[in-house]
Amino acid sequence: MNSDDRSLSLPVGFTHRVRIEALVPADSPRLNGIDENHVRRLVDVYAALPPVLVHRTTMRVIDGMHRLAAAAAKGLTSVEVQYFDGAEEDAFLRSVTANIAHGLPLSTADRKAAAQRLLRLRRDLSDRTVAAYTGLDAKTIAAIRPRSAVEFPRPNIRIGADGRPHPLDRTAERIRAAELMTSRPDLPLRAIVKETGLSLGTAHDVRQRLRRGEAPVPAGRRRAPEGTSAPKSPPAPPPLPRSVDSADTGVVSGSSRTRGSLETLRRLAGDPSLRHSESGRRFLRWLHTHFVVDEAWRQQADAVPPHCTDTVVELALQCSNAWKRFAEDLSRRRLSDTSSAQARRTPSESGRGA
């Protein structure tokens, strides 16, 4: 049979009888090769053994070298095989997982050697993914990885066990976000997220770092490829401009108001008279639900379509007026309570003077 006809005449999922001499020895993860004692055990149960797994393109055995040796020991000239279609590196990966799942167990040395080779073939695989393939733990893979990557630069993307790519280093994205924030201070965080691919939390961290005059990339966050020196952290840009300069005008800026409001809310939530009563806890939950700071509404403003602006403005003013009436009512109650307390103290003081 012509090798070019294999893919047409030998469909995937079926077993086929193939002569032993037509098969290429396995690229096995086993460091010590064939175990003769295991071969003798397989000879006795040969009829119950599964077919040999073979890479269709190269006719190389992926899983079943001990079964092949058992067949030869029984004097057979052909074996049942099942074909695997895929790249050669995928064939080796299949060989490792098959030997982990059944048959003669791989030694720890075999598994570590297989992991090191997998890391050379697929440098984008995460530690957890390689650990799952080889039966080792992720910490062991992390220790093996530097030895397997000496000759190759480390990619910035790793494929996780979920099959999705996960970036290792967000330095470039953080710097790009810092450039956007510096050149366009009023740009919403969600627009920066869309532009850079950062998460909302990371974009917020970059903005806070710039406002403090710090570099957008935390010190030590950026990881250098194995075998190279750690890159220098990018210099800190000038602090982000604020909408109002509190130092020059005496007016509190939006971020300062936000920090002050959050601190006030934190102190209020820690008040024992509120925390230790059901009505107080219910009030705190209500307050946290309706509490709004400048950063919150700024992040939502871009979501309002032009034709809804007047309606949202009216609702915002109604809410503002409701909060104002709430504040005025509380102020009246405070004044009323103060007056009552003073009235109660006056008779007692008069009695003591008499």
Side-chain angles (χ1 to χ4, degrees):
M1 179 178 60
N2 191 309
S3 60
D4 294 337
D5 298 332
R6 289 192 192 115
S7 60
L8 298 177
S9 58
L10 301 177
V12 176
F14 292 87
T15 60
H16 311 273
R17 200 78 186 176
V18 176
R19 293 184 61 82
I20 294 177
E21 63 186 18
L23 300 176
V24 179
D27 186 12
S28 175
R30 299 184 188 277
L31 299 177
N32 296 326
I34 299 296
D35 186 320
E36 296 298 336
N37 292 329
H38 187 59
V39 171
R40 285 192 288 271
R41 289 192 293 268
L42 293 183
V43 168
D44 296 334
V45 294
Y46 184 82
L49 297 178
V52 176
L53 184 63
V54 175
H55 187 221
R56 186 194 296 270
T57 305
T58 61
M59 294 300 288
R60 183 182 294 278
V61 175
I62 294 176
D63 178 46
M65 282 301 296
H66 284 97
R67 277 166 272 164
L68 205 63
K74 287 177 64 69
L76 301 177
T77 58
S78 61
V79 293
E80 290 289 326
V81 304
Q82 188 171 14
Y83 284 99
F84 170 81
D85 291 296
E88 290 192 52
E89 55 265 29
D90 293 332
F92 180 74
L93 179 59
R94 181 66 180 273
S95 175
V96 173
T97 55
N99 279 279
I100 292 294
H102 61 79
L104 183 66
L106 293 177
S107 68
T108 301
D110 292 337
R111 297 178 188 217
K112 288 183 177 180
Q116 190 165 359
R117 181 171 173 183
L118 281 177
L119 290 171
R120 288 197 186 101
L121 294 174
R122 295 288 306 276
R123 300 191 301 279
D124 59 336
L125 293 179
S126 69
D127 293 344
R128 292 182 183 276
T129 303
V130 177
Y133 285 144
T134 58
L136 298 169
D137 61 84
K139 291 183 179 179
T140 301
I141 302 301
I144 294 173
R145 186 180 291 275
R147 300 197 297 271
S148 67
V150 172
E151 300 176 2
F152 307 98
R154 187 187 65 178
N156 188 41
I157 299 290
R158 284 192 191 162
I159 306 300
D162 56 0
R164 298 172 59 187
H166 298 275
L168 294 176
D169 185 2
R170 287 291 198 179
T171 298
E173 290 85 349
R174 279 177 169 264
I175 293 175
R176 174 59 180 157
E179 292 172 350
L180 290 171
M181 292 173 185
T182 304
S183 60
R184 302 172 61 187
D186 297 330
L187 194 65
L189 282 181
R190 292 193 181 278
I192 293 173
V193 166
K194 185 176 181 180
E195 175 73 19
T196 62
L198 292 173
S199 67
L200 188 61
T202 303
H204 178 72
D205 177 69
V206 172
R207 173 167 284 176
Q208 294 302 109
R209 294 181 65 83
L210 294 182
R211 283 177 173 168
R212 296 193 298 266
E214 300 175 2
V217 182
R221 174 69 61 84
R222 192 176 181 187
R223 299 170 61 186
E226 287 84 351
T228 64
S229 59
K232 296 181 180 180
S233 178
L240 282 180
R242 300 181 183 274
S243 56
V244 180
D245 190 345
S246 58
D248 295 338
T249 65
V251 179
V252 180
S253 66
S255 59
S256 298
R257 285 196 301 271
T258 296
R259 288 195 296 270
S261 299
L262 291 173
E263 179 62 23
T264 301
L265 183 63
R266 187 191 66 79
R267 290 199 303 268
L268 189 64
D271 190 296
S273 60
L274 292 173
R275 292 178 57 191
H276 298 159
S277 68
E278 180 59 33
S279 60
R281 290 192 294 269
R282 186 166 56 249
F283 167 73
L284 287 174
R285 288 194 294 271
W286 175 85
L287 187 60
H288 275 82
T289 302
H290 296 83
F291 183 77
V292 178
V293 294
D294 289 333
E295 281 294 324
W297 65 255
R298 286 196 182 100
Q299 292 177 10
Q300 303 301 327
D302 287 344
V304 181
H307 67 278
C308 296
T309 300
D310 291 342
T311 303
V312 175
V313 167
E314 182 179 355
L315 288 173
L317 290 174
Q318 289 177 4
C319 291
S320 175
N321 290 332
W323 275 104
K324 183 179 179 181
R325 290 191 294 273
F326 177 56
E328 291 171 347
D329 183 73
L330 288 179
S331 296
R332 284 195 298 269
R333 293 188 186 193
R334 180 174 59 82
L335 292 174
S336 177
D337 292 343
T338 302
S339 300
S340 299
Q342 290 176 346
R344 285 195 299 271
R345 285 198 302 270
T346 300
S348 62
E349 291 173 357
S350 300
R352 285 198 298 271

